[in-house]
Amino acid sequence: MLDKDNFKKNIKSIKTKIKKENPIFFLSANLFSQGLYSDDLYYISDYLVRELTKIKNSTIIVPTATLDILETKKTFEKNKSKSSRMGFFSEYVRKKNNIVRSNHPLWSFSALGFYSKKITKDVPKTCYGQNSIFDRLLNYNTFYICLGDVRSSLAPIHYVEQMAGVPYRFFKEFKVKIKTGKKIKTDNYYFYAMVNSKKIKRDNNNKVVKILLKKKIMKIFKNKNFNIYFSDYKKLIHELFELLDKNPKIYLRDEKINFQKDLKF
């Protein structure tokens, strides 16, 4: 059962840290297996959105990816297609009125508020790279907030990996159908995929999260059922680049791997 009083206290504490004008809140959630009921999930989602949208000229944005399209071959419709493996919270936001969703069939975002149209307009065909929404968020007063397990929800790492050009990922091209109005168009989109190798395994971001917390780049707000993680987005991205620059294998489980010998494309 959700400790509502503690949750509300934490959200109010987070709000006191927002000193910049026109903030954007990049929100993610992983509340699976946290002992929460559906009513709890609804309360969390509703309260968080209401509180953050009370801030003047604020914007909230959540990932609403549909990578299942690569398996199901379904047609993407940005106003109808459900997100895949993004959780209750992303779906809650996606279905709200006045939401603006980016027209990317693999990795879309849904936004509500002051910058929602501007930040989701005309996205590139790659998921994470230059001029992607991950990239655009650096031009604003953006804050990253994660509810629950941040290790498996730290999507900005993929942006850093693509911009840095890590050797264990590569661009994979997919033909995807997109429906706009009554027209269906097939186009190519690009996903920055992991190399298929038994020797290339992520460490679930354990090392990175420990460093972020130790250096206070990311602050933790403890709740009875789950933790809330809060960070200035620019500082978070800068630190992720710094960590990767110092150790190109920081995000991998086995840092002894030899890229030249062990990677085969």
Side-chain angles (χ1 to χ4, degrees):
M1 182 178 293
L2 176 67
D3 185 340
K4 294 182 179 179
D5 290 336
N6 191 30
F7 174 68
K8 290 192 291 185
K9 179 181 178 181
N10 282 332
I11 298 304
K12 289 178 180 178
S13 294
I14 288 173
K15 287 179 68 177
T16 64
K17 298 184 177 299
I18 310 303
K19 307 298 183 182
K20 300 176 182 179
E21 295 182 344
N22 308 337
I24 293 180
F25 299 101
F26 178 172
L27 307 174
S28 65
N30 187 348
L31 298 172
F32 184 72
S33 299
Q34 300 296 326
L36 297 169
Y37 299 107
S38 57
D39 287 347
D40 294 329
L41 295 174
Y42 179 84
Y43 181 88
I44 291 167
S45 304
D46 181 68
Y47 184 82
L48 181 60
V49 170
R50 281 193 292 109
E51 285 301 307
L52 295 182
T53 52
K54 286 179 182 177
I55 300 173
K56 185 178 179 181
N57 295 339
S58 64
T59 307
I60 63 170
I61 188 164
V62 300
T64 47
T66 45
L67 293 173
D68 61 318
I69 282 179
L70 301 179
E71 300 170 358
T72 63
K73 308 299 182 183
K74 290 181 180 179
T75 300
F76 176 74
E77 295 183 70
K78 73 173 186 176
N79 294 325
K80 293 183 179 180
S81 295
K82 295 180 180 180
S83 63
S84 171
R85 298 189 291 273
M86 295 291 104
F88 182 95
F89 181 70
S90 284
E91 271 298 282
Y92 171 85
V93 174
R94 183 190 68 82
K95 293 188 287 187
K96 288 191 71 65
N97 294 329
N98 301 319
I99 276 292
V100 182
R101 190 180 192 182
S102 59
N103 199 30
H104 198 294
L106 302 182
W107 198 279
S108 65
F109 280 84
S110 293
L112 175 68
F114 191 67
Y115 289 121
S116 57
K117 292 182 179 179
K118 184 176 181 180
I119 204 165
T120 57
K121 184 179 179 181
D122 299 330
V123 292
K125 290 186 176 181
T126 62
C127 296
Y128 312 119
Q130 187 172 2
N131 199 35
S132 67
I133 288 178
F134 291 99
D135 192 49
R136 294 176 185 181
L137 289 172
L138 292 169
N139 298 320
Y140 299 88
N141 295 324
T142 305
F143 299 91
Y144 176 76
I145 300 174
C146 177
L147 309 180
D149 186 6
V150 71
R151 296 171 302 169
S152 56
S153 301
L154 199 55
I157 278 182
H158 303 321
Y159 163 72
V160 173
E161 288 177 318
Q162 181 167 325
M163 294 298 286
V166 294
Y168 51 85
R169 284 185 177 271
F170 68 104
F171 283 109
K172 196 168 182 178
E173 183 177 4
F174 295 95
K175 288 187 179 296
V176 185
K177 293 180 180 179
I178 302 176
K179 186 175 183 180
T180 305
K182 295 182 179 180
K183 295 181 178 180
I184 297 179
K185 179 182 178 181
T186 300
D187 209 342
N188 296 330
Y189 283 81
Y190 303 88
F191 181 69
Y192 204 46
M194 286 282 288
V195 172
N196 187 14
S197 170
K198 293 181 180 179
K199 296 183 179 181
I200 303 294
K201 301 291 182 183
R202 300 191 69 94
D203 81 329
N204 198 31
N205 300 322
N206 287 307
K207 290 174 287 187
V208 170
V209 170
K210 285 181 181 179
I211 294 171
L212 293 174
L213 290 172
K214 184 177 180 179
K215 297 180 74 171
K216 298 183 180 180
I217 301 296
M218 185 176 283
K219 182 174 176 57
I220 186 169
F221 293 83
K222 294 185 177 181
N223 210 60
K224 177 181 178 181
N225 306 86
F226 57 91
N227 293 327
I228 303 173
Y229 298 85
F230 173 83
S231 181
D232 180 287
Y233 185 73
K234 290 187 183 73
K235 292 180 180 178
L236 173 64
I237 295 297
H238 180 267
E239 184 63 25
L240 292 175
F241 270 115
E242 286 283 310
L243 292 173
L244 189 63
D245 185 53
K246 292 176 182 177
N247 180 6
K249 302 172 185 178
I250 185 71
Y251 301 153
L252 301 179
R253 187 182 303 172
D254 182 9
E255 293 189 19
K256 295 180 181 179
I257 189 170
N258 185 304
F259 288 143
Q260 186 174 0
K261 293 181 179 179
D262 297 326
L263 292 186
K264 294 182 180 180
F265 291 86

